[in-house]
Amino acid sequence: MILSFFDQFMSPTHLGIPLIALALSLPWVLIPTPTNRWLNNRLLTLQGWFINRFTQQLMLPINLGGHKWAVLLTALMLLLITLNLLGLLPYTFTPTTQLSLNMGLAVPLWLATVIIGMRNQPTAALGHLLPEGTPVPLIPVLIIIETISLFIRPLALGVRLTANLTAGHLLIQLIATAAFVLLPMMPTVAILTSTVLFLLTLLEVAVAMIQAYVFVLLLSLYLQENV
């Protein structure tokens, strides 16, 4: 049976039960937890250093009021990186290729930053809709444009993550299929194609980490505007 290239993005089910909740919860089991010992092993030390450095860089431009989000944004970063990297393994499912999941993460967090801005500093939050020094005839048009751009932010967050991961998985599958088909006919070309596949896989590992970082970084920028 010939399968479509997009079948890999279908949510897995078993006996009619969706397994996406299992796919979301299992990555947390792989993250090592600190122990009660005086000295941790190398993996825990490296993990702690990475989390500390990331949190410092993320919270550096944000006011003290926004530091309450440090745990949430760091946990989201770890979740997205783990899901993206595990999705590159063979015979696995990547939940972050589902637009519904990414929008489910983007919309509530973006809406929380907007609500915080409206509650703490409504004048400054509404002031972002109208740049300073705008000519009077352009005021209604600019308010409409800025409002539309504000509501497009969560859509851009979810679509960016989905599109980048989906495109990478499709490229890997296309090149892997080409290498498999060319192997009996043109072994030299198949070896070159496999080399390209290896390099593309390394690139996708970088993309998986970068996209998770960009997702959290943009959320922190939206938070910075409203805190």
Side-chain angles (χ1 to χ4, degrees):
M1 182 177 66
I2 300 177
L3 298 178
S4 170
F5 283 120
F6 291 93
D7 286 345
Q8 61 176 318
F9 303 117
M10 294 177 60
S11 181
T13 58
H14 181 67
L15 299 177
I17 302 174
L19 299 180
I20 188 168
L22 186 63
L24 287 173
S25 58
L26 277 180
W28 292 110
V29 181
L30 302 177
I31 299 177
T33 55
T35 62
N36 294 325
R37 300 176 180 177
W38 287 1
L39 293 177
N40 290 322
N41 55 28
R42 293 183 179 88
L43 182 59
L44 283 173
T45 304
L46 182 62
Q47 175 186 282
W49 175 85
F50 169 76
I51 292 176
N52 288 334
R53 291 296 299 170
F54 170 75
T55 308
Q56 288 175 6
Q57 293 295 325
L58 195 65
M59 295 291 113
L60 190 61
I62 301 179
N63 297 334
L64 290 177
H67 289 187
K68 301 173 185 177
W69 286 59
V71 176
L72 175 62
L73 294 179
T74 305
L76 179 63
M77 173 75 173
L78 290 176
L79 175 65
L80 291 178
I81 282 185
T82 310
L83 290 176
N84 294 349
L85 292 179
L86 288 179
L88 294 174
L89 297 175
Y91 303 105
T92 56
F93 169 69
T94 313
T96 44
T97 56
Q98 306 294 311
L99 182 60
S100 57
L101 172 67
N102 295 333
M103 293 301 294
L105 292 174
V107 172
L109 293 174
W110 164 82
L111 187 59
T113 62
V114 174
I115 292 174
I116 287 175
M118 292 295 184
R119 187 186 65 179
N120 294 341
Q121 43 182 12
T123 304
L126 294 175
H128 291 144
L129 301 179
L130 185 63
E132 188 177 356
T134 304
V136 176
L138 295 179
I139 288 178
V141 179
L142 277 180
I143 290 178
I144 294 174
I145 293 175
E146 291 295 330
T147 304
I148 293 174
S149 67
L150 178 66
F151 283 98
I152 283 178
R153 284 179 173 182
L155 182 63
L157 277 178
V159 170
R160 180 188 295 108
L161 183 59
T162 304
N164 280 282
L165 295 180
T166 303
H169 283 66
L170 282 176
L171 276 176
I172 289 177
Q173 186 171 2
L174 285 170
I175 296 178
T177 305
F180 180 76
V181 171
L182 290 173
L183 186 59
M185 296 182 295
M186 293 179 285
T188 306
V189 179
I191 292 174
L192 292 176
T193 308
S194 301
T195 306
V196 173
L197 177 62
F198 175 74
L199 296 176
L200 180 63
T201 304
L202 295 180
L203 177 63
E204 281 305 310
V205 171
V207 168
M209 293 187 288
I210 290 172
Q211 288 304 317
Y213 176 71
V214 168
F215 190 94
V216 177
L217 178 63
L218 288 176
L219 278 176
S220 69
L221 293 178
Y222 300 157
L223 177 65
Q224 181 182 353
E225 288 182 0
N226 294 285
V227 173

